[in-house]
Amino acid sequence: QVTLVESGGGLVEAGRSLRLSCTASGDIDTIIFMGWYRNTPEKSREFVATYTTGSSILFGDSVKERFAIAGGSAGPTVYLQMNNLKPDDTGDYYCSAKTHNYHYWGQGTQVTVSS
């Protein structure tokens, strides 16, 4: 069992930056890689960024060149640095952890970007 806790969400103006954190606990040795997803008013469970096998990194098309992911590729802590935020980035952001048998999710942290 892996538990994920996100933090760092909040209200920011468009063009500003925000950094989200996610800390894993429990059976962290089973984590293969971690990543971030979001729910927005337009899209459900939209892919944002993730480590992949070999510590490569993938980004969603809507956040490329604005967002960065840092921290351990397999935890226990991973960060999402969000720069030049846009109102369309408003949503609930979820940390994820992939193991061989399961895909764990955090409770989410809310990000609101005002125009």
Side-chain angles (χ1 to χ4, degrees):
Q1 183 82 12
V2 174
T3 301
L4 303 173
V5 178
E6 303 98 334
S7 63
L11 172 65
V12 293
E13 294 178 346
R16 303 298 291 267
S17 299
L18 204 60
R19 190 177 81 157
L20 306 182
S21 301
C22 173
T23 300
S25 61
D27 296 329
I28 60 174
D29 289 341
T30 64
I31 297 173
I32 301 171
F33 53 79
M34 296 179 68
W36 292 90
Y37 291 75
R38 67 186 183 186
N39 285 345
T40 69
E42 291 76 31
K43 294 183 180 180
S44 177
R45 202 56 64 85
E46 179 187 13
F47 166 66
V48 176
T50 188
Y51 287 104
T52 67
T53 53
S55 296
S56 297
I57 298 172
L58 295 176
F59 291 99
D61 289 340
S62 62
V63 305
K64 282 180 181 177
E65 299 181 7
R66 297 190 299 122
F67 289 14
I69 190 170
S73 60
T77 302
V78 65
Y79 304 95
L80 182 68
Q81 178 66 41
M82 306 184 292
N83 301 318
N84 190 20
L85 283 161
K86 303 176 181 180
D88 287 347
D89 294 319
T90 294
D92 294 318
Y93 284 69
Y94 297 89
C95 177
S96 74
K98 180 74 171 67
T99 69
H100 284 295
N101 299 318
Y102 203 71
H103 198 163
Y104 292 93
W105 299 93
Q107 293 298 307
T109 185
Q110 188 173 50
V111 173
T112 303
V113 184
S114 63
S115 57

